Amino acid sequence: MKKISVLFLLLCFAAVGFAQDNLISNIGSRTSLSLNGTWQYIVDPYETGFYDYRYKELREDHPDAYWNTDVQANKTEKKEHGYSDKHTLEVPGDWNHQAPEFTFYEGTIWYKKSFDYVKTATTDKFFLYFGAVNHRADVYLNGKKLGMHKGGFTPFNFEVPTALLKEKGNFLVVKVDNKRHADEVPTLNTDWWNYGGITRDVKLVAVPQVFIQDFVVQLAKNTTGKSPGNTPMVEGWVKLNQAPAAGETITVEIPELKFKTEIPATGATTTLRFKLPKITLWSPESPQLYRVVLRTKQDRTEDKIGFRTIEAHGTQVLLNGKPIFMRGISAHGEVPQEVRRAHTQQDALQLLNQSIELGCNMVRLSHYPHDEKVTRLADSLGLLVWSEIPVYWTIDFGNDEVLEKAKDQLQEMITRDHNRASVIIWSVGNETPVSPARTTFMHNLIKRAKELDATRMISAALEVSYGSGDDIHHIDDPLGEFVDLVSFNEYLGWYGGLPDKCRTTSWDTPYNKPLFISETGAGGKGGFHADSLTRFSEEYQEWYFKEQVAMFKRMPAKFVGVSPWVLSDFRSPKRNNPIYQEGWNRKGLYDEKGNKKKAFFILKAYYDEIANKEKSKKR
Ligand code: GCB
């Protein structure tokens, strides 16, 4: 019986390994040519460069297609498109903030970049890698289509046939379309700005013919090495792009630990399982990262990896076997001072430093995967991370194709970040309205997340209603059965009654699981002062947080943390109060200029009190 189940698990494991697509992880360690910088563009609301006048897709070699040359063959040739230095956009970067006429633009813009490339090794393979393009990207090189990708916040790469790559004047065109659709993820309706464009780094990556496409080097559950007889055990795998030649081996080296092991490759995916010598575990207090080098005969890649364990155990969350309380904050991937999507290292620093100032040990990166720079920086700074896919509100839950789209984004998010110690929670969505179709959909995502990564907690931000008249709110959403962490968004005192309603309200869940408040918040316009009953005043927001904090202190023992809404004011087309909002969601603890509002100090005091208590317990 035991043998059968072990065999079954191994088969499942192998199947999961093979099911991964061709996304290359740890891209930063690859030889590459950056294609960031100035790109020319054509704005094309009618998609004239894609469809003919009968609205049929243009043939690949059609001279009017915008992916084909814009140079007239002779003076008589008719050309009705062209790229020019008169029209340029910076990449990475959303288009909305780059020209006033793009502020509200939702549609197609064609991006074009010319580049030269001299191959260093004749045996290399090439990929065009995009950190993120919102929402749909159709990529063409020298007139040939390389592929199409949907999903605005996750990376993708397309292989470039070697013969297509020229030494001079490569003509790279990307059709970017950020139109919203009912059957996409996210769907038509979101409370954030639909920034369009090539929003993250672009590079041409060179790898050997047989290369390390992806790998997982993580501690196995309950192997912190902290108790007698317990040794830190790495469990993971290395995936090559194809099955290697016979006799291939995988070497894993951690120089700082003087550790090296060589494992025979067992096909495209090789399972890793080995003991580590004594290590310093990664934690917010000591975010220790080790340089991990992976080698095959042809290839080499290296990463900086922190080793820690994370699990939901009964009603607690254990980091390295010890209970933690998550002093969190939810944040959008936006730089409000410049009204644009975040993508630089400086942007990542701003987000995480502001969170640290607030006293946080955790950030909820809502509502979509943020730039990889953020999770990498969180690894170095020691912040715990909740990472989420944009399954938000009213997704078309009954539609199998939509489920596949959500699964793709889930897989891309996990593939990019499954070696980040900071990431402890994968969230499969936010405030999805309960129905049988929705619960099946979400359950499928949870199952997929668990197949892809069995080491982290899976959650989703659940919705509550305030209308029950009951003063104890039970989070009994059927999805609670499948998540590791029962998380919910509550706005008691903003959407339901006034803040003093918190005095008579308690929260609990029938599930014997840890309970987390993934959102709570109130609007307050920075610099607007009034009495605490005046909506949108800093004083109202301050009162709201005072009442909420008092309520948190009465939460049941299974309460393991909170990530209030939200770090900074952010742009939203849904927020149209002409005096206080003007297109901004004002629930930030920092205003759009980066000033702290009064409520900031209430939450900070709560977090500092918890942190100080924890410190004095350790002494
Ligand atoms: C929520 C959503 C978040 C909104 C927020 C609000 O529950 O999850 O995306 O922005 O409420 O401000 O209403």
Side-chain angles (χ1 to χ4, degrees):
M1 180 67 188
K2 237 189 189 159
K3 258 189 202 152
I4 291 172
S5 57
V6 168
L7 188 68
F8 177 67
L9 277 178
L10 281 174
L11 283 174
C12 290
F13 190 73
V16 168
F18 286 115
Q20 303 241 345
D21 64 13
N22 74 344
L23 181 62
I24 306 172
S25 70
N26 194 33
I27 202 75
S29 90
R30 292 295 174 181
T31 308
S32 65
L33 170 74
S34 170
L35 295 172
N36 291 350
T38 305
W39 291 49
Q40 297 171 333
Y41 73 85
I42 302 173
V43 57
D44 186 17
Y46 285 23
E47 299 178 283
T48 304
F50 197 77
Y51 298 107
D52 68 12
Y53 77 123
R54 296 290 184 236
Y55 215 64
K56 290 220 178 65
E57 259 183 59
L58 292 167
R59 286 189 331 264
E60 192 168 63
D61 62 352
H62 198 291
D64 292 342
Y66 286 12
W67 55 83
N68 281 321
T69 182
D70 55 350
V71 180
Q72 271 185 303
N74 55 57
K75 67 180 183 185
T76 318
E77 196 200 8
K78 177 179 70 65
K79 271 278 172 229
E80 291 199 82
H81 77 280
Y83 295 93
S84 145
D85 280 341
K86 281 193 281 186
H87 304 289
T88 61
L89 285 167
E90 288 307 305
V91 170
D94 63 82
W95 60 55
N96 310 69
H97 84 283
Q98 297 195 46
E101 63 269 31
F102 293 148
T103 305
F104 292 94
Y105 186 66
E106 294 186 305
T108 283
I109 291 187
W110 296 83
Y111 282 72
K112 181 235 143 184
K113 177 100 181 158
S114 295
F115 68 93
D116 300 338
Y117 190 75
V118 181
K119 295 170 197 145
T120 45
T122 46
T123 53
D124 277 349
K125 260 173 135 48
F126 300 95
F127 289 84
L128 266 168
Y129 180 93
F130 294 82
V133 176
N134 191 37
H135 174 83
R136 170 177 167 160
D138 293 77
V139 180
Y140 306 85
L141 184 68
N142 299 330
K144 294 274 166 238
K145 185 157 191 168
L146 299 182
M148 188 276 283
H149 178 266
K150 284 181 176 182
F153 303 95
T154 44
F156 57 95
N157 46 245
F158 296 128
E159 183 163 1
V160 178
T162 310
L164 199 59
L165 205 53
K166 303 191 290 193
E167 290 212 342
K168 289 259 168 254
N170 289 287
F171 190 76
L172 172 62
V173 172
V174 186
K175 176 184 187 288
V176 183
D177 181 358
N178 74 333
K179 280 196 295 297
R180 288 165 294 124
H181 296 279
D183 61 349
E184 292 297 334
V185 180
T187 176
L188 295 167
N189 199 17
T190 61
D191 188 21
W192 70 77
W193 206 263
N194 180 25
Y195 290 105
I198 304 178
T199 51
R200 294 183 191 159
D201 298 329
V202 185
K203 35 181 117 181
L204 179 71
V205 179
V207 286
Q209 285 298 322
V210 184
F211 67 97
I212 300 169
Q213 187 186 306
D214 189 14
F215 56 91
V216 167
V217 174
Q218 293 280 285
L219 277 194
K221 280 207 179 333
N222 302 319
T223 62
T224 54
K226 288 293 152 205
S227 49
N230 184 317
T231 326
M233 281 292 298
V234 163
E235 252 175 27
W237 43 264
V238 174
K239 186 192 174 207
L240 308 177
N241 60 315
Q242 64 180 64
E248 182 63 277
T249 58
I250 313 268
T251 306
V252 183
E253 195 179 348
I254 308 176
E256 212 180 321
L257 294 174
K258 297 191 172 51
F259 173 84
K260 192 171 175 178
T261 180
E262 193 174 350
I263 300 152
T266 53
T269 302
T270 300
T271 302
L272 300 179
R273 192 173 157 78
F274 51 79
K275 285 182 189 166
L276 283 183
K278 195 171 155 16
I279 50 169
T280 303
L281 294 168
W282 184 97
S283 70
E285 297 76 39
S286 113
Q288 170 75 40
L289 300 177
Y290 291 97
R291 200 157 69 84
V292 177
V293 186
L294 298 171
R295 269 195 212 91
T296 61
K297 280 194 199 96
Q298 286 191 35
D299 197 17
R300 175 187 190 285
T301 182
E302 69 171 73
D303 202 351
K304 281 183 137 187
I305 297 182
F307 297 107
R308 54 103 189 92
T309 61
I310 187 76
E311 63 177 314
H313 181 80
T315 58
Q316 291 186 315
V317 170
L318 305 182
L319 177 76
N320 297 326
K322 288 190 214 115
I324 51 158
F325 185 85
M326 288 173 272
R327 311 186 307 272
I329 189 71
S330 296
H332 266 292
E334 184 182 72
V335 179
Q337 293 91 337
E338 293 169 25
V339 195
R340 61 169 175 82
R341 271 265 166 268
H343 62 85
T344 68
Q345 187 67 16
Q346 191 51 40
D347 298 344
L349 266 168
Q350 168 166 307
L351 192 157
L352 297 185
N353 279 339
Q354 285 182 333
S355 310
I356 290 170
E357 258 200 85
L358 183 60
C360 295
N361 63 0
M362 183 253 192
V363 284
R364 172 175 176 228
L365 300 179
S366 44
H367 283 300
Y368 38 77
H370 287 210
D371 196 286
E372 186 174 354
K373 294 179 188 88
V374 183
T375 47
R376 287 195 172 263
L377 189 64
D379 262 17
S380 324
L381 296 179
L383 277 158
L384 303 164
V385 170
W386 160 308
S387 192
E388 181 164 296
I389 50 169
V391 171
Y392 182 90
W393 291 352
T394 50
I395 294 289
D396 187 358
F397 295 110
N399 184 333
D400 288 344
E401 280 174 26
V402 175
L403 178 61
E404 288 313 308
K405 289 174 190 169
K407 279 186 181 171
D408 286 349
Q409 294 189 36
L410 183 69
Q411 180 164 334
E412 288 160 356
M413 168 176 78
I414 292 179
T415 303
R416 193 193 74 182
D417 279 351
H418 50 191
N419 287 308
R420 302 285 67 81
S422 53
V423 180
I424 57 165
I425 299 160
W426 300 124
S427 163
V428 294
N430 179 76
E431 289 186 354
T432 51
V434 179
S435 76
R438 164 275 194 179
T439 302
T440 308
F441 183 103
M442 299 301 279
H443 186 201
N444 277 323
L445 287 180
I446 292 170
K447 284 191 279 193
R448 184 74 186 121
K450 293 216 176 252
E451 281 166 11
L452 291 166
D453 181 1
T455 70
R456 289 174 175 81
M457 296 185 289
I458 313 295
S459 196
L462 306 176
E463 198 170 43
V464 297
S465 69
Y466 308 100
S468 69
D470 185 355
D471 280 343
I472 299 188
H473 292 257
H474 292 279
I475 313 301
D476 56 1
D477 184 317
L479 209 59
E481 195 183 328
F482 310 118
V483 291
D484 298 309
L485 181 70
V486 177
S487 308
F488 65 102
N489 298 351
E490 58 87 8
Y491 285 85
L492 200 66
W494 183 257
Y495 292 131
L498 288 177
D500 55 7
K501 187 109 205 321
C502 293
R503 295 180 196 166
T504 53
T505 303
S506 311
W507 304 92
D508 208 339
T509 176
Y511 301 105
N512 186 40
K513 295 186 180 184
L515 190 61
F516 181 79
I517 300 182
S518 32
E519 281 177 33
T520 177
K525 182 170 158 51
F528 170 50
H529 297 287
D531 64 81
S532 57
L533 279 170
T534 306
R535 288 257 174 184
F536 291 112
S537 68
E538 283 200 35
E539 285 69 18
Y540 187 105
Q541 192 191 28
E542 180 187 37
W543 178 35
Y544 177 97
F545 270 90
K546 278 186 183 158
E547 297 288 356
Q548 286 274 333
V549 165
M551 185 176 73
F552 300 158
K553 292 183 176 169
R554 287 186 287 103
M555 289 286 284
K558 57 175 72 162
F559 179 51
V560 294
V562 51
S563 56
W565 194 253
V566 57
L567 184 65
S568 294
D569 287 357
F570 63 93
R571 294 288 290 162
S572 167
K574 300 176 79 66
R575 306 295 172 174
N576 295 317
N577 181 307
I579 301 168
Y580 305 117
Q581 294 179 310
E582 294 179 288
W584 290 92
N585 184 313
R586 293 292 185 198
K587 298 191 187 73
L589 295 174
Y590 289 88
D591 71 13
E592 82 280 16
K593 296 186 192 74
N595 301 315
K596 296 169 183 126
K597 301 183 199 170
K598 286 183 136 190
F600 173 97
F601 299 97
I602 306 298
L603 188 63
K604 181 173 170 53
Y606 173 57
Y607 283 171
D608 288 351
E609 191 184 316
I610 297 172
N612 288 336
K613 261 192 212 149
E614 281 172 6
K615 262 189 223 147
S616 58
K617 255 193 240 157
K618 273 184 200 148
R619 258 183 234 136

